[in-house]
């Protein structure tokens, strides 16, 4: 049922073979994904066999560490189809990537221009822009719409109306983190650039990177970020992609070793991108682990991961409707596409109670505002439960989840 | 379903001193936990240094609602000076459960509201 390549993908993930996890139902992959053995192996190998700092040693283990690290850049380049590897900056995660962009782009965009985000953005793609706008006196626009009821045509019109000659930055998610809404990114970028060719488009691809093939050249986005741990990679590493000509215009985000060209007592010149943005010792094991994660995804196939998550999503919605009916309130978009994340509430039940009672059965979901308070406020929701799916989920996971929810409703109502 | 024992569920489904309509009060507080949307409005009627009446309204999970309900029973009729000595450990004892670190805020929000209302009196 859940088989991919005719082999159970759960066998690739050591967490399922731990005795205490024998009944684990993990429906929180939007928060973080599990790590396959191949990722853990290469990180262990680095620490055990060639642990050393990169770019600075001429001895064999340092040369190997540098090569492995830089090979990840090549793998990311082909994974997102950027035109050159120097467009790939390693960060500690998407949040750092977005902070890097907010704090450096604000120095090159016109004074008093407008930064636009959407009501569906994660706080990481919302707060950095909001705060930079306050501090540097930019206008701050939030595209407001009802994701549950808006049609695709209305949505595109709303986006078009939100971009003006004053807009300098337009930041939005590829797939939203609360409802899994898939934005028609390529079209939206065309719409935005048709309204204003100078607008810089920033894409938060965290919830897309695992299961949607991303081609930054085809999309024509200016910047795109994601976190390694959302795609079976380690925590503590992420990617910030930027068009090279734009990266060259950005000043450093942090100062320190490895990001300089020449330092004199009273002045410093800086390295070219990407080194300019990679100050200090990098998360070397994590970058190497990211390479293994991306290769793992390539070997499984992003389309297969997408199809499997979508199958779990549809089965879960169908089961929830059939078994719980009016007892559950599903926050699924009527017209926009969604495929891997479901937000819901049991009627008159608090999300924390539902989540804790599921946890008693070792069923893992998330409860709260999912780092999207503006969206919850906009839709007048105090908090929600969120279930998200990946390749290691099975139909029996969903069955147990829905059955337990039914029991929880009986207990709490 | 360990922490959701009968007494706690009874306080959740039938919270004591719930509802502030037409209550005669002279001290109020409002607490909010943005991480889960919990809200509590708490009102006190204090006379001669004694809590004569207490009531609350709001929205919260089972833990937070039961905590508010039990706390209201605990301090009603007590001297303000004694009620101010209530701690989170007292709340945990009333709830009779091990409150995990992630749910601590649920259990403690009503206590914070109570202490704020008490401190506003003088």
């Amino acid at each position: 049922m859940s088989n991919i390549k005719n082999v159970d993908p759960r066998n690739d993930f050591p967490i399922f073979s731990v005795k205490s996890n024998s009944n684990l139902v993990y429906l929180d992959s939007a928060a973080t994904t599990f790590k396959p053995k191949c990722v853990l192996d290469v990180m262990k190998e680095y620490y055990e066999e060639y642990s050393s700092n990169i770019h600075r040693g001429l001895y064999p283990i340092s040369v190997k560490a540098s090569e492995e690290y830089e090979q990840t850049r090549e793998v990311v380049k082909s994974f997102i189809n950027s035109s050159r590897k120097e467009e790939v900056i390693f960060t500690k995660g998407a949040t750092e990537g977005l902070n890097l962009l907010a704090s450096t782009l604000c120095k090159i965009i016109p004074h008093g221009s407008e930064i636009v985000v959407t009501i569906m953005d994660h706080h990481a793609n919302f707060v950095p822009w909001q705060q930079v706008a306050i501090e540097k006196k930019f206008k701050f626009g939030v595209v407001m719409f009802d994701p549950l009821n808006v049609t695709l045509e209305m949505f595109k019109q709303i986006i078009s109306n939100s971009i003006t000659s004053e807009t300098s930055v337009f930041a939005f998610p590829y797939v939203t983190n609360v409802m899994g809404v898939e934005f028609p990114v390529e079209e939206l970028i065309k719409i935005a650039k048709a309204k204003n060719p100078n607008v810089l488009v920033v894409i938060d691809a965290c919830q897309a990177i695992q299961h949607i093939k991303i081609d930054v050249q085809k999309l024509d986005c200016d910047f795109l970020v994601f976190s390694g741990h959302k795609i079976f990679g380690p925590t503590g590493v992420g990617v910030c992609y930027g068009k090279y000509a734009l990266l060259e215009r950005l000043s450093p985000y942090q100062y320190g070793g490895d990001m300089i060209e020449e330092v004199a007592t009273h002045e410093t010149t800086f390295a070219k991108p990407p080194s300019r943005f990679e100050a200090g010792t990098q998360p070397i094991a994590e970058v190497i682990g990211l390479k293994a994660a991306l290769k793992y995804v390539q070997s499984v196939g992003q389309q297969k991961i997408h199809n499997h998550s979508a199958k779990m999503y549809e089965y879960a919605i169908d089961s929830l409707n059939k078994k719980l009916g009016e007892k559950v309130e599903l926050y699924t978009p009527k017209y926009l596409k969604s495929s891997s994340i479901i937000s819901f509430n049991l009627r008159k039940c608090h999300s924390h109670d539902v989540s804790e009672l599921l946890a008693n059965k070792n069923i893992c979901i998330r409860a709260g505002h999912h780092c999207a308070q503006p969206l919850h406020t906009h839709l007048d929701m105090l908090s929600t439960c969120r279930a998200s799916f990946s390749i290691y989920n099975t139909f029996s996971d969903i069955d147990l989840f829905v059955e337990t929810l039914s029991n929880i409703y009986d207990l709490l109502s | 379903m360990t922490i959701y024992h009968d007494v706690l569920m009874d306080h959740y489904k039938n919270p004591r001193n719930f509802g502030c309509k037409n209550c005669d009060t002279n001290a109020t507080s409002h607490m909010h936990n943005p991480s889960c949307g919990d809200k509590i409005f708490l009102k006190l009627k204090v006379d001669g240094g004694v809590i004569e009446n207490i009531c609350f309204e709001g929205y919260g999970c089972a833990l937070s609602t039961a905590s508010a309900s039990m706390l209201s029973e605990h301090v009603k009729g007590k001297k303000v000076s004694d009620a101010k000595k209530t701690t989170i450990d007292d709340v945990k004892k009333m709830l009779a459960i091990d409150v995990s670190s992630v749910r601590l805020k649920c259990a403690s929000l009503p206590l914070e509201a109570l202490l704020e209302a008490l401190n506003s009196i003088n």
Side-chain angles (χ1 to χ4, degrees):
Chain A
M1 293 199 298
S2 67
N3 288 355
I4 288 172
K5 289 198 303 183
N6 299 318
V7 182
D8 187 351
R10 291 163 76 92
N11 295 337
D12 298 333
F13 295 83
I15 200 158
F16 290 113
S17 49
V18 175
K19 210 174 166 189
S20 58
N21 294 334
S22 61
N23 65 345
L24 185 67
V25 173
Y26 188 71
L27 303 177
D28 201 15
S29 290
T32 196
T33 52
F34 287 155
K35 321 305 169 203
K37 187 168 183 301
C38 58
V39 168
L40 306 175
D41 283 348
V42 296
M43 293 174 72
K44 187 164 178 277
E45 190 180 270
Y46 161 73
Y47 281 121
E48 286 185 354
E49 297 178 21
Y50 60 100
S51 180
S52 55
N53 214 329
I54 53 170
H55 300 160
R56 298 163 207 185
L58 297 177
Y59 44 90
I61 56 170
S62 175
V63 171
K64 177 163 171 62
S66 301
E67 284 172 359
E68 293 285 340
Y69 180 92
E70 289 302 327
Q71 274 169 19
T72 306
R73 217 184 292 279
E74 289 279 0
V75 171
V76 173
K77 169 189 171 286
S78 73
F79 198 85
I80 61 172
N81 194 33
S82 69
S83 59
R84 50 193 291 191
K85 66 178 169 34
E86 291 83 3
E87 294 181 323
V88 174
I89 300 164
F90 293 122
T91 62
K92 69 180 184 188
T95 298
E96 189 184 38
L98 292 164
N99 276 279
L100 183 160
L101 292 174
S103 63
T104 54
L105 282 177
C106 71
K107 296 176 189 168
I108 67 163
I109 57 177
H111 293 295
S113 62
E114 185 185 35
I115 297 170
V116 175
V117 301
T118 80
I119 192 65
M120 295 201 85
D121 273 287
H122 186 284
H123 291 165
N125 202 22
F126 196 103
V127 182
W129 303 111
Q130 178 200 56
Q131 290 303 305
V132 143
I134 293 169
E135 195 184 322
K136 308 281 184 188
K137 298 189 169 40
F138 292 106
K139 295 186 185 77
F140 184 61
V142 182
V143 184
M144 306 294 273
F145 57 99
D146 175 2
L148 302 178
N149 295 302
V150 74
T151 64
L152 186 59
E153 284 313 308
M154 277 164 64
F155 179 50
K156 288 193 277 190
Q157 191 57 52
I158 291 166
I159 295 290
S160 176
N161 294 346
S162 305
I163 306 299
T164 69
S165 57
E166 286 201 319
T167 311
S168 54
V169 173
F170 178 30
F172 63 94
Y174 204 125
V175 171
T176 72
N177 76 306
V178 179
M179 295 162 178
V181 174
E182 195 180 311
F183 279 24
V185 177
E186 197 176 339
E187 276 183 278
L188 296 189
I189 293 173
K190 281 201 176 82
I191 289 168
K193 298 220 170 193
K195 285 294 291 286
N196 178 352
N198 296 322
V199 70
L200 297 172
V201 173
V202 178
I203 308 290
D204 168 7
C206 278
Q207 299 298 345
I209 192 70
Q210 185 197 128
H211 63 103
I212 294 176
K213 174 69 194 152
I214 288 173
D215 182 332
V216 290
Q217 294 187 71
K218 189 158 175 276
L219 290 176
D220 194 27
C221 58
D222 298 292
F223 301 95
L224 180 140
V225 304
F226 67 88
S227 293
H229 72 99
K230 307 277 194 197
I231 183 166
F232 312 115
T235 55
V237 63
V239 165
C240 175
Y241 156 83
K243 284 180 181 166
Y244 194 77
L246 287 167
L247 292 180
E248 275 189 309
R249 290 175 57 202
L250 299 183
S251 53
Y253 168 59
Q254 290 179 327
Y255 301 105
D258 235 24
M259 53 76 67
I260 55 91
E261 184 184 60
E262 197 169 0
V263 180
T265 49
H266 287 79
E267 61 182 356
T268 296
T269 54
F270 303 108
K272 289 182 170 23
S275 304
R276 185 185 299 170
F277 306 102
E278 293 179 8
T281 295
Q282 295 297 297
I284 302 165
E286 286 77 6
V287 168
I288 292 167
L290 176 63
K291 176 173 53 181
L294 297 180
K295 285 183 170 177
Y296 175 76
V297 167
Q298 283 169 331
S299 78
V300 174
Q302 263 177 318
Q303 190 59 48
K304 280 187 179 175
I305 297 173
H306 182 83
N307 293 349
H308 185 78
S309 300
K311 208 157 64 174
M312 293 295 117
Y313 172 88
E314 280 157 26
Y315 183 68
I317 288 188
D318 193 45
S319 304
L320 286 165
N321 277 325
K322 277 186 186 152
K323 306 260 169 62
L324 286 151
E326 288 298 304
K327 297 174 188 171
V328 69
E329 196 166 355
L330 295 174
Y331 307 113
T332 49
K334 245 184 231 160
Y335 305 107
L336 300 182
K337 206 169 144 193
S338 181
S339 65
S340 58
I341 299 172
I342 299 174
S343 281
F344 66 96
N345 271 319
L346 290 184
R347 285 191 198 276
K348 295 184 182 169
C349 300
H350 194 288
S351 64
H352 278 189
D353 292 323
V354 175
S355 171
E356 174 137 9
L357 287 159
L358 284 167
N360 288 349
K361 297 276 184 189
N362 221 359
I363 301 168
C364 315
I365 64 150
R366 194 140 288 251
H369 53 62
H370 321 297
C371 299
Q373 284 183 350
L375 176 69
H376 278 75
T377 306
H378 178 58
L379 297 177
D380 202 20
M381 306 187 301
L382 291 169
S383 71
T384 50
C385 299
R386 182 186 75 181
S388 49
F389 312 102
S390 189
I391 43 169
Y392 30 65
N393 292 124
T394 64
F395 288 109
S396 62
D397 284 351
I398 311 287
D399 289 340
L400 196 63
F401 164 61
V402 176
E403 188 193 324
T404 310
L405 276 180
S406 182
N407 296 336
I408 290 170
Y409 182 82
D410 291 342
L411 178 83
L412 292 176
S413 64
Chain B
M1 300 190 176
T2 46
I3 71 166
Y4 295 83
H5 59 76
D6 290 347
V7 178
L8 189 143
M9 289 306 288
D10 180 47
H11 276 271
Y12 168 53
K13 291 183 180 178
N14 310 293
R16 324 302 194 252
N17 303 305
F18 187 82
C20 300
K21 215 177 175 184
N22 304 323
C23 285
D24 180 18
T25 56
N26 53 11
T28 63
S29 67
H30 172 213
M31 282 279 169
H32 178 212
N33 179 3
S35 77
C36 61
D38 285 3
K39 285 175 184 167
I40 180 167
F41 300 88
L42 187 140
K43 296 185 177 182
L44 299 173
K45 168 74 178 168
V46 175
D47 200 2
V50 174
I51 300 170
E52 293 210 326
N53 195 23
I54 175 168
C55 57
F56 73 97
E57 281 179 348
Y59 164 84
C61 61
L63 234 67
S64 147
T65 307
S67 167
S69 171
M70 291 174 179
L71 200 57
S72 71
E73 284 195 319
H74 178 74
V75 299
K76 202 171 182 174
K78 273 201 166 63
K79 282 185 192 166
V80 168
S81 54
D82 289 340
K84 278 186 180 176
K85 290 175 191 159
T86 314
T87 67
I88 186 63
D89 287 335
D90 298 323
V91 174
K92 285 183 193 170
K93 273 182 208 151
M94 289 179 226
L95 291 167
I97 54 169
D98 285 330
V99 182
S100 67
S101 57
V102 287
R103 298 299 296 276
L104 194 62
K105 186 79 184 168
C106 310
S108 68
L109 197 70
L111 175 64
E112 288 172 35
L114 172 71
L115 295 177
E116 187 178 275
L118 289 171
N119 288 330
S120 75
I121 291 168
N122 293 327

